[in-house]
Amino acid sequence: MADASWTAPFPDLAPPLAERWPHRFELFGQEIQDDYAWLKAENWREVLKDGSALPLAIREHLERENAYTDAMLADLGPLRERLVREMRGRIKEDDDTVPQPDGPYAYFTRYREGGQHPLICREPREGGEAEILLDGDKEGEDLAYFDLQDAVHSPDHRLLAWSADVAGSELYTIRVRDLGTGEDLADEVRRTSGEVIWCLDSRTFYYVEVDENHRPARVRRHRLGRPQSEDELIYEETEVGWFIDIDQTTSGAFVVVSISDHETSEVWLLDRADPEAERRLVAARTPLVIYDVEHHGLDLIIRTNADGAEDFKLVVAPLADPRRENWRDLVPYRQGVMVLYQVALARHLVRLERQDANPRIVVREMWTGAEHAIAFPEEAYSLGLDAGYEFDTDTIRFGYSSMTTPNETYDYNLRTRERVLRKRQEIPSGFDSALYVTRRLFGTAEDGETVPISLVHRRDLKLDGTAPCLLYGYGSYGSSVSASFRTNLLSLVDRGFVYAIAHVRGGTEKGWRWYLDGKREKKTNTFKDFVASAEALVAAGYTGRKRLVALGGSAGGMLMGAVANMAGDLFAGIVAEVPFVDVLNTMLDGDLPLTPPEWPEWGNPRQDEAAFRTILPYSPYDNVRPQPYPAILALGGLTDPRVTYWEPAKWVAKLRATMTDGGPVLLRINMDAGHGGAAGRFDRLEEVALIYAFALKAVGLA
């Protein structure tokens, strides 16, 4: 029998059972059975654009799942309401960001009290009355979903290009607002990724067009007053597995068109001063070589892993001829010190780098090469760099926080090294950092690797192994998880929880090798690292077996599914947000929006038998087995183009039909949202409260 703590907190209600429609196929001599494939709508492309197109049989099944979850967690209603009140009480509702200067104005974002969405604002640079350029609450009024993606003022400060998604499908429409009249122009550019880069004429802008398979595939140039059908094609990527992104150099001179596939990249430049500009290639793509570009005078400053620089280095190349053979080292490669980001200003080069899972900012004088660093003494912390709008400046802005230090925003003088605190995060309901402790400890994986773990808990907590713990993990795409301040977590920590982050392989917390050791044929290292982290927390007395609740989303949701299969008996509960759990079937379907771009990360099991043999043994859906499982909560979004709704729906159905004991297994599909869940800042609190209440219930503390 399963431990009684797995089932006792939950009512004994019969779950909905999905029908099993036998579906089998064979690949590389292996038969694959997928009895819940029918949950993937045949018209899935239409559903991702408009959830109302979902076939009735599937809709009814998902609604039964949502109703069952509501019934199973009905007694948590008062707790969830308290959690929302607590979390909202820590939000300064009428908050704003520190204004960022650009020419005659300083631009900032503000929220009004009770408002769900941001207000885009500006004020005179030297002070004066602020004006609202775009009211997110007004634009999102009466909409079930509204996500403001970008809001970019024109170089002459007379226009604002803004993009929004109203379905959760990540298809953004760009509009242009006349800041003199407050009215939008007739221009409307649909099916974009949401990014906008203006030309210096303030009459032309670039954007990325999304193709029929929901992939960012083309860069186009739009001229105000012309229909979208006349927009010029600047670049089209014909390789289906490549992403396109646009940005601009800090100098403001160039539009940067970046093309990448997770492990190789290519960059083209467009002169912002010329609305007829032809694209210019920086360096042709070379397999496994990644680079990105900043501009300074007659040179480009390039971050790259070329020439064996695994953790990246900075090189300089002549703008007139920036081919690979003309690159020369500026900041040489140092193993274990990962260069994350560089900003080229008129007199300084600023870079963000990370060593031993902690970041630092390094400032370099352009003409002398002299360097100094900005770092902090805490064991684990988060540091972010804001390049701002201006090139000819001696001031940068950075943000700092730790798991016990609220966010602080500083302006830093690169010449005098003076640091000015511009803003400290306010916690209206109160916060005393002395009541909490943040720590960094290490787990040991079965191959001997040490896995960093960041954690926070109340100072008065007894470390006797009885405390519950929420353990978070991600571990894919080289993304690192920062040890930053999160006010919502206090609702768990103040109830006796330890909150911990397992910095597992697949991220870059310990450099690029940490990422390479957690992808493709080495993917199972990610899962083993997470289990090792859980066991380390137990061994150190921070928590105990069956006192842990695991949390992860998207690719981190895949981690949750894998951990449930291989070490479910460690955990009282598992929460998987938009979980990528049907890995094999998704990677076999080249028509899905993100499948071809994901092959470099996971492998292509359609064509490569080795990739097939790698994915099949860990794909969470394919490895559900007859055994006890802990309580599981899976969350998805109906119009999610990244992790489609049928992945968690199929996983939950198979778990219920296969598991021998434990649970319950719960599914909630947001019928009005996509990958990011609810878009409004307070609506999102409802989802967080659901997760936290489930975690409390799983460990018997609800």
Side-chain angles (χ1 to χ4, degrees):
M1 291 292 291
D3 187 288
S5 65
W6 287 9
T7 54
F10 296 93
D12 184 17
L13 301 176
L17 297 178
E19 295 183 34
R20 301 177 72 160
W21 295 5
H23 174 72
R24 294 175 176 81
F25 62 93
E26 186 174 302
L27 188 62
F28 300 116
Q30 178 95 30
E31 184 178 86
I32 307 297
Q33 183 168 328
D34 184 7
D35 292 345
Y36 302 101
W38 67 273
L39 287 167
K40 175 185 175 183
E42 292 184 3
N43 65 333
W44 60 264
R45 287 185 178 86
E46 188 179 355
V47 172
L48 294 185
K49 298 173 189 174
D50 180 2
S52 66
L54 187 68
L56 182 60
I58 300 175
R59 176 175 296 277
E60 289 177 344
H61 174 72
L62 297 182
E63 289 174 347
R64 284 193 297 270
E65 289 282 11
N66 285 349
Y68 173 68
T69 296
D70 289 344
M72 290 293 287
L73 303 180
D75 63 323
L76 296 179
L79 173 60
R80 288 164 61 184
E81 290 176 3
R82 287 198 300 275
L83 290 169
V84 169
R85 285 197 301 271
E86 289 175 12
M87 292 185 288
R88 187 163 177 167
R90 300 188 193 103
I91 297 173
K92 187 176 187 295
E93 294 198 12
D94 57 346
D95 205 3
D96 51 28
T97 61
V98 179
Q100 187 69 268
D102 184 22
Y105 295 102
Y107 291 82
F108 62 100
T109 299
R110 168 178 292 166
Y111 284 90
R112 62 167 56 92
E113 187 169 353
Q116 292 268 22
H117 303 289
L119 315 179
I120 308 302
C121 307
R122 73 180 177 192
E123 63 187 19
R125 183 180 186 130
E126 302 305 323
E129 187 175 351
E131 58 179 319
I132 297 173
L133 309 181
L134 183 74
D135 187 332
D137 288 327
K138 181 179 178 181
E139 300 300 333
E141 192 174 13
D142 298 326
L143 295 174
Y145 183 92
F146 177 78
D147 178 30
L148 179 64
Q149 169 78 345
D150 212 352
V152 187
H153 60 273
S154 59
D156 66 4
H157 303 278
R158 295 179 178 179
L159 301 169
L160 184 80
W162 62 282
S163 60
D165 168 23
V166 297
S169 58
E170 299 184 33
L171 295 174
Y172 294 89
T173 297
I174 299 170
R175 296 176 174 84
V176 179
R177 179 150 302 179
D178 184 325
L179 298 180
T181 66
E183 300 295 326
D184 286 337
L185 306 181
D187 300 72
E188 195 171 272
V189 182
R190 296 179 176 274
R191 293 189 61 84
T192 82
S193 66
E195 304 155 294
V196 179
I197 305 293
W198 285 99
C199 289
L200 296 183
D201 69 351
S202 297
R203 301 296 300 170
T204 311
F205 64 77
Y206 294 92
Y207 65 92
V208 177
E209 183 179 58
V210 176
D211 68 12
E212 59 279 0
N213 286 320
H214 220 111
R215 298 169 190 146
R218 291 176 284 271
V219 177
R220 291 193 182 271
R221 182 162 52 207
H222 179 77
R223 300 180 190 279
L224 296 182
R226 296 188 183 180
Q228 184 176 359
S229 60
E230 296 181 9
D231 288 353
E232 301 159 85
L233 178 64
I234 303 302
Y235 182 90
E236 182 170 16
E237 181 53 54
T238 57
E239 294 287 338
V240 296
W242 291 67
F243 291 101
I244 297 180
D245 179 66
I246 57 173
D247 203 344
Q248 70 183 54
T249 58
T250 307
S251 68
F254 295 101
V255 178
V256 180
V257 179
S258 301
I259 303 101
S260 62
D261 74 341
H262 291 306
E263 56 187 21
T264 302
S265 65
E266 182 176 86
V267 173
W268 298 75
L269 300 179
L270 293 154
D271 188 344
R272 289 184 71 217
D274 180 6
E276 306 284 347
E278 297 290 329
R279 70 189 196 213
R280 299 171 49 192
L281 177 64
V282 174
R285 63 186 71 171
T286 301
L288 304 182
V289 172
I290 298 171
Y291 73 95
D292 53 53
V293 171
E294 264 282 43
H295 165 243
H296 188 271
L298 298 177
D299 293 319
L300 296 178
I301 297 173
I302 300 170
R303 186 186 74 106
T304 182
N305 66 345
D307 309 313
E310 186 177 65
D311 290 322
F312 292 81
K313 62 179 178 177
L314 296 182
V315 303
V316 64
L319 177 62
D321 188 5
R323 292 174 297 169
R324 273 276 307 272
E325 51 264 40
N326 294 328
W327 294 3
R328 64 183 189 276
D329 283 4
L330 180 65
V331 177
Y333 165 58
R334 297 153 296 160
Q335 186 174 11
V337 180
M338 186 168 177
V339 181
L340 302 169
Y341 181 61
Q342 80 275 23
V343 174
L345 300 173
R347 289 167 292 279
H348 297 89
L349 176 64
V350 185
R351 68 181 186 269
L352 183 65
E353 60 185 32
R354 183 169 55 236
Q355 184 175 18
D356 295 329
N358 272 340
R360 64 172 173 257
I361 294 171
V362 181
V363 179
R364 180 187 181 96
E365 293 182 1
M366 280 291 191
W367 314 123
T368 68
E371 294 188 349
H372 70 273
I374 306 170
F376 292 83
E378 290 193 77
E379 289 184 36
Y381 60 86
S382 173
L383 194 59
L385 179 62
D386 182 357
Y389 296 114
E390 298 185 324
F391 176 69
D392 188 6
T393 181
D394 289 326
T395 301
I396 62 163
R397 181 166 293 165
F398 66 85
Y400 168 79
S401 76
S402 76
M403 298 175 84
T404 56
T405 304
N407 294 295
E408 298 173 343
T409 302
Y410 291 89
D411 279 351
Y412 183 81
N413 190 296
L414 302 166
R415 182 174 48 82
T416 67
R417 307 189 187 184
E418 180 185 11
R419 183 185 304 181
V420 178
L421 177 65
R422 295 295 307 276
K423 179 183 174 68
R424 178 176 283 120
Q425 181 181 1
E426 295 181 46
I427 315 296
S429 60
F431 173 75
D432 182 356
S433 62
L435 299 178
Y436 304 89
V437 176
T438 184
R439 289 282 183 264
R440 168 68 55 74
L441 68 147
F442 294 87
T444 303
E446 64 179 41
D447 62 356
E449 280 284 3
T450 55
V451 184
I453 306 165
S454 302
L455 61 88
V456 62
H457 61 81
R458 294 272 306 192
R459 188 174 294 276
D460 57 3
L461 186 74
K462 292 182 179 179
L463 302 181
D464 58 4
T466 63
C469 174
L470 184 69
L471 179 61
Y472 178 82
Y474 188 73
S476 291
Y477 308 114
S479 296
S480 61
V481 183
S482 64
S484 58
F485 188 73
R486 298 169 174 86
T487 59
N488 290 343
L489 287 168
L490 296 175
S491 287
L492 285 183
V493 173
D494 285 344
R495 286 175 168 83
F497 264 76
V498 175
Y499 173 71
I501 302 167
H503 301 287
V504 296
R505 277 176 279 190
T508 52
E509 286 88 342
K510 293 179 68 173
W512 197 251
R513 180 185 62 83
W514 202 241
Y515 166 49
L516 297 179
D517 281 352
K519 67 181 294 189
R520 281 204 298 267
E521 68 276 2
K522 298 181 179 180
K523 188 64 215 171
T524 55
N525 284 337
T526 303
F527 318 142
K528 294 173 184 176
D529 287 356
F530 191 85
V531 174
S533 299
E535 291 173 338
L537 290 164
V538 172
Y542 286 99
T543 188
R545 297 178 69 88
K546 306 284 182 66
R547 302 296 290 161
L548 285 148
V549 178
L551 171 64
S554 196
M558 176 197 63
L559 169 60
M560 297 299 100
V563 166
N565 288 334
M566 65 188 292
D569 59 343
L570 257 176
F571 300 92
I574 291 178
V575 180
E577 294 190 88
V578 289
F580 176 39
V581 284
D582 195 11
V583 181
L584 180 62
N585 284 309
T586 294
M587 288 298 101
L588 287 172
D589 190 346
D591 290 333
L592 289 172
L594 291 188
T595 291
E598 298 291 274
W599 284 330
E601 181 76 13
W602 315 104
N604 182 353
R606 298 176 66 190
Q607 300 176 354
D608 181 357
E609 182 174 358
F612 173 80
R613 300 292 178 194
T614 295
I615 293 172
L616 181 59
Y618 75 71
S619 176
Y621 174 70
D622 295 285
N623 288 277
V624 171
R625 58 180 66 100
Q627 65 180 21
Y629 281 85
I632 292 175
L633 174 63
L635 304 172
L638 182 60
T639 55
D640 186 350
R642 297 174 182 264
V643 179
T644 50
Y645 74 85
W646 58 83
E647 292 211 28
K650 289 172 59 178
W651 181 51
V652 165
K654 190 171 183 180
L655 280 166
R656 288 212 197 102
T658 309
M659 60 194 289
T660 59
D661 208 340
V665 178
L666 309 178
L667 173 67
R668 167 163 293 189
I669 299 293
N670 189 327
M671 306 299 278
D672 298 310
H675 195 67
R681 58 175 178 159
F682 301 132
D683 289 342
R684 173 58 183 162
L685 294 183
E686 299 285 349
E687 296 180 345
V688 176
L690 172 65
I691 292 169
Y692 288 1
F694 174 84
L696 286 160
K697 192 174 184 70
V699 297
L701 292 181

